[in-house]
Amino acid sequence: TAKLQTVAKAAGKLYFGTATDNSELTDTAYTAILDDNTMFGQITPANSMKWDATEPTQGTFTFSGGDQIASLAKTNGMLLRGHNCVWYNQLPSWVTSGTWTNSTLTAVIQNHCSTIVSHFKGQVYSWDVVNEPFNDDGTWRTDVFFNTIGESYVPIALNAARTADPNAKLYINDYNIEGPGAKATAMLNLVTSLKQQNVPLDGVGFQCHFIVGELPQGLAANWARFTALGLEMAVTELDIRMTLPSTPALLAQQKTDYTTVISACMSVAGCVGVTVWDWTDKYSWVPSTFSGQGAACPWDQNFVRKPAYDGIAGAFQA
Ligand code: G3I
């Protein structure tokens, strides 16, 4: 049967990829599938390039986890997505509980972004420079960055990243912006304004953490509003969870839903690729976050392909 990177590439997309994590790489049955670059043309580290992992104390950087993922991408001939520079979550306490002024926190952001993006320079296809800046109602998330600096923390981070690696595609990434609505409008307004001000920005990441049977309507039309600005876009963290236990009917609906997402990417020329937020239910983040839910990935916890797999392959081949 068709391998997913092979069919994505044949369809004119750059990649089909997956998140992975350092702790998973000792599982040889897992890596036997992960390392197949006809299946995955791109990987994203789920945790090891985040702020708490890379700058746990101010000015002291640790790259061992990120380097392991970057070297895996290189060995396997896969694209690498950097994830991420500035995010409200998984911040070390020195950032969240520091006493900052606009200018001291600006310097901290610039140093963090430029150091991590420089470290991986030449190895990264795209960076999630800013992750999840908005609340679901489209207002700004009132994290330490926004509260101290205001919305200009976004161009500060993007400018630092561009200087550090001029060839990396710089993204803003978020969830619940996939279909039209207040949050998508807020993102559209932000990126429109950044483009007007010539702030370096190449793409928007649509995470796509979805629920079986509850996909937003109008994915492709919404995404096309962003690519019309001259930006590329990507599906960056796709998974489609269900209330457990899984049943044949739920798995069939999940196949339909995966098909819908891939088809939407197919119909938007600026959609460069699709990344699943890990390919196997064994390592999905879902059950630990949403009690009683799971089975969100295209492979089950025993690494057996689910109907969703055929939905993905079929949509790339349609
Ligand atoms: O590293 C510690 C370890 O030392 C400790 O023993 C263990 C005990 O729980 O926790 C480990 O940290 C966990 C970390 O993953 C690394 O495994 C955290 O508890 C856990 O909360 C964290 O979850 C990650 C989550 O982001 C945090 O928000 C998930 O793995 C990761 O898949 C998930 O990814 C996010 C994206 O970055 C942004 N978009 C949403 C997506 C899903 O939440």
Side-chain angles (χ1 to χ4, degrees), residues 3 5 31-41 76 78:
K3 300 287 192 67
Q5 170 66 7
T31 57
I33 295 174
L34 177 71
D35 288 342
D36 178 358
N37 66 13
T38 67
M39 190 65 81
F40 304 110
N76 290 340
M78 297 167 175

Side-chain angles (χ1 to χ4, degrees), residues 5-303:
Q5 170 66 7
T6 301
V7 293
K9 200 83 191 188
K13 300 303 174 185
L14 272 181
Y15 61 82
F16 180 84
T18 183
T20 189
D21 209 348
N22 300 75
S23 56
E24 300 163 16
L25 302 179
T26 53
D27 180 342
T28 54
Y30 173 87
T31 57
I33 295 174
L34 177 71
D35 288 342
D36 178 358
N37 66 13
T38 67
M39 190 65 81
F40 304 110
Q42 179 273 335
I43 53 176
T44 307
N47 286 292
S48 54
M49 291 187 192
K50 290 172 177 174
W51 201 313
D52 60 353
T54 53
E55 194 185 5
T57 58
Q58 186 172 6
T60 304
F61 288 84
T62 58
F63 291 114
S64 51
D67 284 344
Q68 186 185 15
I69 305 292
S71 93
L72 185 70
K74 190 177 182 189
T75 301
N76 290 340
M78 297 167 175
L79 298 173
L80 178 64
R81 185 176 195 90
H83 178 82
N84 53 58
C85 297
V86 179
W87 187 30
Y88 76 94
N89 201 358
Q90 286 173 287
L91 286 171
S93 59
W94 69 266
V95 176
T96 46
S97 47
T99 308
W100 306 113
T101 62
N102 186 321
S103 94
T104 59
L105 191 59
T106 295
V108 161
I109 292 172
Q110 288 170 330
N111 189 51
H112 183 75
C113 292
S114 75
T115 303
I116 67 171
V117 174
S118 299
H119 178 84
F120 294 105
K121 183 183 180 190
Q123 302 179 72
V124 169
Y125 168 70
S126 54
W127 264 106
D128 292 322
V129 177
V130 174
N131 198 38
E132 303 174 2
F134 292 116
N135 296 313
D136 281 348
D137 66 0
T139 58
W140 284 87
R141 198 185 280 279
T142 51
D143 57 18
V144 63
F145 307 111
F146 183 81
N147 286 342
T148 309
I149 298 172
E151 54 190 86
S152 61
Y153 84 83
V154 172
I156 288 166
L158 288 164
N159 278 307
R162 178 67 96 223
T163 303
D165 185 353
N167 294 319
K169 303 282 188 190
L170 307 183
Y171 275 65
I172 303 176
N173 187 50
D174 213 329
Y175 62 90
N176 291 349
I177 59 167
E178 294 84 2
K183 193 172 185 179
T185 299
M187 183 64 82
L188 188 64
N189 290 340
L190 171 62
V191 300
T192 300
S193 142
L194 293 171
K195 293 293 283 180
Q196 280 167 355
Q197 297 168 76
N198 287 315
V199 173
L201 175 72
D202 302 297
V204 175
F206 296 82
Q207 293 186 8
C208 297
H209 293 292
F210 290 147
I211 299 170
V212 165
E214 298 180 27
L215 259 55
Q217 299 290 306
L219 294 176
N222 185 49
W223 298 349
R225 297 195 296 166
F226 291 82
T227 58
L229 301 172
L231 295 164
E232 61 177 56
M233 57 137 307
V235 172
T236 52
E237 304 185 12
L238 175 62
D239 51 25
I240 310 181
R241 63 187 182 266
M242 62 182 71
T243 298
L244 299 172
S246 80
T247 62
L250 284 166
L251 292 170
Q253 182 64 47
Q254 186 181 52
K255 175 183 180 179
T256 299
D257 293 340
Y258 269 97
T259 302
T260 298
V261 177
I262 303 300
S263 300
C265 179
M266 289 287 286
S267 69
V268 176
C271 180
V272 297
V274 174
T275 305
V276 287
W277 207 243
D278 229 313
W279 52 271
T280 165
D281 293 334
K282 182 171 182 179
Y283 295 120
S284 172
W285 69 291
V286 169
S288 62
T289 302
F290 299 99
S291 180
Q293 298 180 55
C297 302
W299 279 257
D300 74 11
Q301 58 194 355
N302 300 312
F303 307 142

